[in-house]
Amino acid sequence: MAKTGGNRGKDDREARPAPKSERKVSRSAMPLIFDDDDLSEELGADRKFNWSLARGLEILRAFSGGNASLGNGELAEITKLPKPTISRLTYTLKQLGYLQLNARSGKFEPTPAILALGYPVMSTMKIRVIARDYLQQLANEVGLTVAIGGRDRLGMIYVDASHPSTMMTLRLDVGSRVDIATSAMGRSFMHGISAPERELLLGVIEQRAGEGWPKLRDAIQRSFDEIDRRGFCIVDGEYQEDIRGVGVPLVASDGGAVLALNAAGPRFAATLETLETVVGPRLVHLSRSVAPMLNR
């Protein structure tokens, strides 16, 4: 409730953010790669936001998505940062042990030290321990990759994955990333989060999609309707033309944590009948079984 009366002092005035049109964007602001450049203006006006730290982390993120080695020029192109800035950052990250320079190629490569940044998260995710045997059993039975994923900006990142021994393709492992808007895992996650969070996320996706938004919006809504009706959704050839997947929301009993389950594979292995009659219902059962233990 808004305060009343005439005793609004300096603290009260400073607590109110300036209108967006009046905010001064920091010269340090850069487009944040991999989806979130739309936040740069907002963050550039935030005095508490440390752009030096952001730049360094974005350099490390640039090596995800299959980029095993990158030179300063390539990093500058990805991050839109000046090459002198890139040089200082890669030098610093090399000195800290997160990057190493390949003398033959002259490019930087990530080192195992980066794993130390993510290990505390992975080691404390109890759901990985709880669900691992179930994921592997289902993967073997249906011949598809079965995984748990969480949101990473406008994507979903695999936090655990199990593969059948017979599958030679689509071996997405821990750390792999799929699009949130066009994958069964992503749409299941969006269905599981709160309505306000979903609206904000869909607004960003709409900006990204441009003229393709009406078609994408209708496809996302169909997936939501499928989940409402039977607990899972099927996405056929939208994320990758030859891939089918089924997704299920994985929501903690108290609603605090939201992840998603999916099973996916090439069309010849993932028939629509199998996804609808076997895989989808099994994933729904798995989600209901492990969700109560998500926060233990």
Side-chain angles (χ1 to χ4, degrees):
M1 182 178 295
K3 294 182 179 180
T4 58
N7 294 324
R8 294 176 180 170
K10 180 180 178 182
D11 291 341
D12 184 41
R13 291 193 300 271
E14 290 183 350
R16 296 168 176 264
K20 192 170 184 178
S21 60
E22 297 179 9
R23 299 177 194 172
K24 294 182 179 180
V25 178
S26 168
R27 291 183 180 179
S28 301
M30 64 178 182
L32 295 179
I33 61 172
F34 300 128
D35 309 326
D36 277 351
D37 56 330
D38 50 279
L39 295 182
S40 295
E41 180 181 352
E42 197 76 21
L43 295 175
D46 188 345
R47 294 181 180 180
K48 294 182 180 180
F49 190 82
N50 190 309
W51 281 96
S52 296
L53 176 59
R55 291 191 193 104
L57 293 174
E58 292 302 279
I59 292 293
L60 295 179
R61 284 182 64 91
F63 288 92
S64 62
N67 294 322
S69 61
L70 293 168
N72 283 338
E74 292 167 310
L75 287 166
E77 183 178 351
I78 292 172
T79 62
K80 311 304 180 187
L81 287 171
K83 287 185 179 180
T85 300
I86 293 292
S87 296
R88 291 194 298 272
L89 289 170
T90 52
Y91 174 82
T92 301
L93 291 169
K94 178 177 176 293
Q95 295 303 110
L96 292 174
Y98 294 117
L99 296 180
Q100 62 187 5
L101 184 64
N102 186 313
R104 180 175 297 180
S105 66
K107 295 184 178 183
F108 290 96
E109 300 171 349
T111 73
I114 291 180
L115 297 176
L117 301 178
Y119 179 75
V121 177
M122 302 300 288
S123 64
T124 56
M125 290 191 72
K126 297 179 181 179
I127 187 63
R128 298 179 71 240
V129 177
I130 294 169
R132 182 168 296 145
D133 290 343
Y134 297 105
L135 295 181
Q136 189 61 61
Q137 180 181 356
L138 183 56
N140 291 336
E141 291 179 0
V142 302
L144 302 173
T145 294
V146 183
I148 302 174
R151 182 188 172 195
D152 175 35
R153 299 187 178 183
L154 291 187
M156 296 293 293
I157 191 166
Y158 280 29
V159 298
D160 208 353
S162 296
H163 309 284
S165 58
T166 56
M167 179 172 284
M168 303 303 294
T169 60
L170 195 70
R171 294 189 67 87
L172 297 177
D173 291 309
V174 174
S176 296
R177 193 170 182 271
V178 297
D179 182 60
I180 199 169
T182 58
S183 67
M185 176 181 277
R187 292 177 183 175
S188 298
F189 171 84
M190 288 192 289
H191 185 279
I193 60 179
S194 68
E197 289 178 294
R198 188 184 310 117
E199 290 305 311
L200 288 173
L201 184 53
L202 289 173
V204 178
I205 294 173
E206 178 180 1
Q207 293 176 6
R208 287 285 180 173
E211 295 180 356
W213 171 241
K215 181 179 179 181
L216 179 58
R217 177 196 59 209
D218 293 344
I220 293 173
Q221 186 58 54
R222 284 195 298 272
S223 293
F224 289 171
D225 292 342
E226 287 183 14
I227 296 171
D228 288 336
R229 186 171 68 255
R230 55 188 182 180
F232 63 88
C233 68
I234 294 175
V235 176
D236 185 3
E238 291 186 55
Y239 174 62
Q240 286 185 218
E241 186 176 358
D242 60 338
I243 298 299
R244 287 189 179 122
V246 56
V248 173
L250 178 56
V251 184
S253 55
D254 62 359
V258 180
L259 299 168
L261 292 166
N262 86 324
R267 283 180 169 176
F268 67 82
T271 66
L272 288 175
E273 181 180 3
T274 300
L275 294 182
E276 290 175 352
T277 61
V278 179
V279 184
R282 290 286 298 277
L283 279 179
V284 171
H285 177 73
L286 176 57
S287 176
R288 291 172 179 170
S289 298
V290 302
M293 298 179 280
L294 194 56
N295 285 337
R296 290 185 181 180

